[in-house]
């Protein structure tokens, strides 16, 4: 980190009342002078409306926070952040990518919807411009060269919980699996069953698939929930996010008061605010918790709360890390980076000192990282995802 950036970060820490500093910031002499480096364009792709808008907002906020802490620069270059609406289909996502590529972006980031990520794969690979995805990460996205992800692979959320529930559930317990019929659900279910045991009678009932809409109504899931509960399960394993998560849990709680388990997206961000007491006791697996006790997270979470007046989510954290890896990769390329040089440099940056804990890219260009068990508890008048323990290192 440059002397100027170090001073700016220290000033921020002083303003926040936070002690210590990120161990991975580097020395004062680890960067070349950057005053004359030319501006670069980065393209940010997120949904601007619909059920995933809140996730898109978090992704935008996380990336912007990193820029705020680094004088609006990546790798020493002033950044012009261009945004585009991914919409909710592969076609709208491709239009967003095409528009940003025409503006000459050095790299792309963002992308919430797995269907969009699959739909833009060929466009990104053919353009030879790196995409650092900060959310969508279907396991079907294989053999890519220009697509990296700072989030997770969806089957890992299922694997982390499958391993945990296999040991926690009584021998006579039964799990009802309820999922929206979309790309991500297939990954989550496969990972869950893989670790729980595909022949275990406790999860032998067929998956109940629901509508995949991102903007459900007040009865969208009612009939599917009743069908899943007909076998009298002792627990429910589900996978929803955003507005769909809110409506699903509200409708489920009208019929079922037992334990609920899910990938952490079920209770992230504004979902908790909308669910209130309906969320109490839900246990989730995720690669991040805002109360992780490490220096990088104390800096990130404090700065995020100060700027946005809310607790950071995994979406914001992954986007912050997307900016961080771009910063390091661009720095490695020198003064006049090209997309191809940045892409090669991404493979050389090694370990990332992240709010989630130390992680690094694996061969498929996704994080090797820890997964955590969290439980929704009341913190005063506020609902919070409280860290319970570490589940596994996956990736």
């Amino acid at each position: 980190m440059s002397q100027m950036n170090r001073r700016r970060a220290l000033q921020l820490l002083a303003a926040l009342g936070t002690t210590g500093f990120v161990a991975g910031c580097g020395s004062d002499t680890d960067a070349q002078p950057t005053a004359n480096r030319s501006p670069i364009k980065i393209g940010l792709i997120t949904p601007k409306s619909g059920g995933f808008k809140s996730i898109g907002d978090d992704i935008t906020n996380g990336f912007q926070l990193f820029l705020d802490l680094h004088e609006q620069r990546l790798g020493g270059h002033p950044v012009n952040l261009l945004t585009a609406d991914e919409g909710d289909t592969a076609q709208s996502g491709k239009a967003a990518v095409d528009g940003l590529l025409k503006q000459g972006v050095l790299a792309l980031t963002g992308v919430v919807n797995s269907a969009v990520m699959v739909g833009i794969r060929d466009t990104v690979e053919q353009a030879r411009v790196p995409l650092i995805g900060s959310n969508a990460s279907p396991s079907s996205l294989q053999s890519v060269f220009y697509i990296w992800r700072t989030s997770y692979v969806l089957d890992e959320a299922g694997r982390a919980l499958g391993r945990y529930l296999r040991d926690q559930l009584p021998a006579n317990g039964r799990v009802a699996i309820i999922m929206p019929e979309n790309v991500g659900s297939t990954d989550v279910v496969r990972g869950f069953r893989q670790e729980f045991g595909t022949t275990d009678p406790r999860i032998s009932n067929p998956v109940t698939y629901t509508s995949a809409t991102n903007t459900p109504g007040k009865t969208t899931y009612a009939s599917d929930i009743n069908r899943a509960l007909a076998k009298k399960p002792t627990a429910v394993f589900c996978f929803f996010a955003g507005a769909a998560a809110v409506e699903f849990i509200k409708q489920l709680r009208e019929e079922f008061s037992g334990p609920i388990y899910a990938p952490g997206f079920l209770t992230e961000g504004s979902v908790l605010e909308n669910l209130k007491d309906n969320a109490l006791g839900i246990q989730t697996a995720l690669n991040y918790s805002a109360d992780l006790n490490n220096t990088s997270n104390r800096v990130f979470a404090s700065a995020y709360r100060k700027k946005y007046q809310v607790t950071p989510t995994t979406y914001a954290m992954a986007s912050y890390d997307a900016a961080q890896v771009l910063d390091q990769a661009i720095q490695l390329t020198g003064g006049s980076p090209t997309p191809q040089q940045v892409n090669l440099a991404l493979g050389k940056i090694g370990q990332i000192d992240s709010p989630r804990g130390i992680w690094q890219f694996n061969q498929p260009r996704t994080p090797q990282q820890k997964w955590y068990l969290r439980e929704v508890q009341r913190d005063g008048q506020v609902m919070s995802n409280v860290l319970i323990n570490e589940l596994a290192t996956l990736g």
Side-chain angles (χ1 to χ4, degrees):
M1 177 178 286
S2 70
Q3 184 70 32
M4 184 182 299
N5 284 346
R6 179 173 288 271
R7 284 199 302 269
R8 173 71 185 98
L10 288 171
Q11 289 167 359
L12 174 69
L13 290 175
L16 295 172
T18 306
T19 59
F21 193 59
V22 179
C25 283
S27 69
D28 291 339
T29 59
D30 62 3
Q32 296 298 316
T34 59
N36 297 323
R37 291 194 172 177
S38 58
I40 57 173
K41 297 177 182 178
I42 303 295
L44 177 64
I45 306 161
T46 61
K48 308 266 188 193
S49 61
F52 286 157
K53 180 182 182 299
S54 63
I55 299 175
D57 291 344
D58 288 353
I59 286 174
T60 301
N61 292 346
F63 200 93
Q64 186 59 59
L65 181 64
F66 186 90
L67 292 179
D68 291 348
L69 300 183
H70 294 79
E71 300 173 337
Q72 309 302 316
R73 291 173 178 259
L74 293 177
H77 294 262
V79 172
N80 182 9
L81 187 61
L82 307 177
T83 63
D85 184 2
E86 75 176 65
D88 56 9
T89 67
Q91 292 73 24
S92 59
K94 185 178 183 305
V97 171
D98 287 341
L100 291 170
L101 291 174
K102 288 178 182 177
Q103 297 180 72
V105 294
L106 180 66
L108 299 161
T109 189
V111 188
V112 170
N113 193 325
S114 290
V116 171
M117 180 64 85
V118 171
I120 65 177
R121 170 201 167 136
D122 290 346
T123 300
V124 172
E125 292 289 302
Q126 290 166 12
R128 301 175 66 212
V129 172
L131 164 62
I132 298 84
S134 49
N135 188 59
S137 187
S139 62
S140 59
L141 200 68
Q142 299 289 331
S143 302
V144 290
F145 188 70
Y146 282 91
I147 298 178
W148 307 72
R149 285 147 286 171
T150 57
S151 51
Y152 44 75
V153 179
L154 271 176
D155 68 332
E156 294 171 357
R159 288 170 59 196
L161 272 175
R163 186 178 301 183
Y164 171 72
L165 275 181
R166 177 191 62 199
D167 299 330
Q168 294 293 317
L169 199 69
N172 62 349
R174 303 283 287 185
V175 179
I177 303 175
I178 311 176
M179 304 269 160
E181 194 166 11
N182 61 25
V183 174
S185 292
T186 303
D187 290 340
V188 172
V189 171
R190 185 182 64 254
F192 179 75
R193 284 185 159 160
Q194 174 186 332
E195 294 293 336
F196 197 108
T198 55
T199 61
D200 194 307
R202 294 175 293 177
I203 58 169
S204 61
N205 288 337
V207 177
T208 300
Y209 286 106
T210 73
S211 166
T213 179
N214 298 328
T215 54
K218 296 186 181 302
T219 60
T220 297
Y221 304 116
S223 61
D224 294 318
I225 287 171
N226 288 330
R227 182 159 49 93
L229 297 180
K231 297 291 181 71
K232 305 298 182 184
T234 54
V236 167
F237 175 61
C238 57
F239 169 60
F240 294 87
V246 174
E247 278 305 323
F248 174 78
I249 293 300
K250 285 182 177 178
Q251 292 169 43
L252 178 63
R253 281 306 193 200
E254 291 178 0
E255 307 293 337
F256 182 75
S257 60
I260 300 171
Y261 303 92
F265 326 114
L266 186 76
T267 59
E268 276 292 274
S270 61
V271 173
L272 271 186
E273 301 168 16
N274 290 310
L275 284 175
K276 298 184 170 53
D277 285 356
N278 281 324
L280 278 173
I282 294 177
Q283 291 194 342
T284 62
L286 203 59
N287 61 346
Y288 176 68
S289 175
D291 57 357
L292 279 169
N293 187 22
N294 63 64
T295 304
S296 293
N297 190 49
R298 288 194 294 272
V299 172
F300 166 71
S302 295
Y304 196 91
R305 289 186 178 106
K306 183 177 178 65
K307 180 170 184 179
Y308 300 112
Q309 304 301 306
V310 293
T311 296
T313 63
T314 189
Y315 315 119
M317 177 278 299
S319 190
Y320 180 89
D321 274 3
Q324 182 174 190
V325 299
L326 274 173
D327 179 58
Q328 295 186 28
I330 294 169
Q331 184 68 46
L332 287 173
T333 67
S336 301
T338 67
Q340 295 76 35
Q341 289 173 335
V342 172
N343 196 65
L344 289 173
L346 285 165
K348 301 176 182 179
I349 58 179
Q351 292 187 331
I352 307 299
D353 188 2
S354 164
R356 77 187 83 177
I358 299 293
W359 67 271
Q360 62 187 19
F361 284 120
N362 57 20
Q363 188 173 3
R365 290 162 156 69
T366 62
Q368 183 180 47
Q369 63 188 328
K370 292 179 179 180
W371 284 79
Y372 305 95
L373 180 69
R374 315 174 318 164
E375 180 177 289
V376 178
Q377 299 178 8
R378 186 179 284 107
D379 182 9
Q381 298 300 312
V382 179
M383 295 297 172
S384 179
N385 289 297
V386 176
L387 180 66
I388 303 299
N389 58 45
E390 183 181 320
L391 288 173
T393 296
L394 301 171

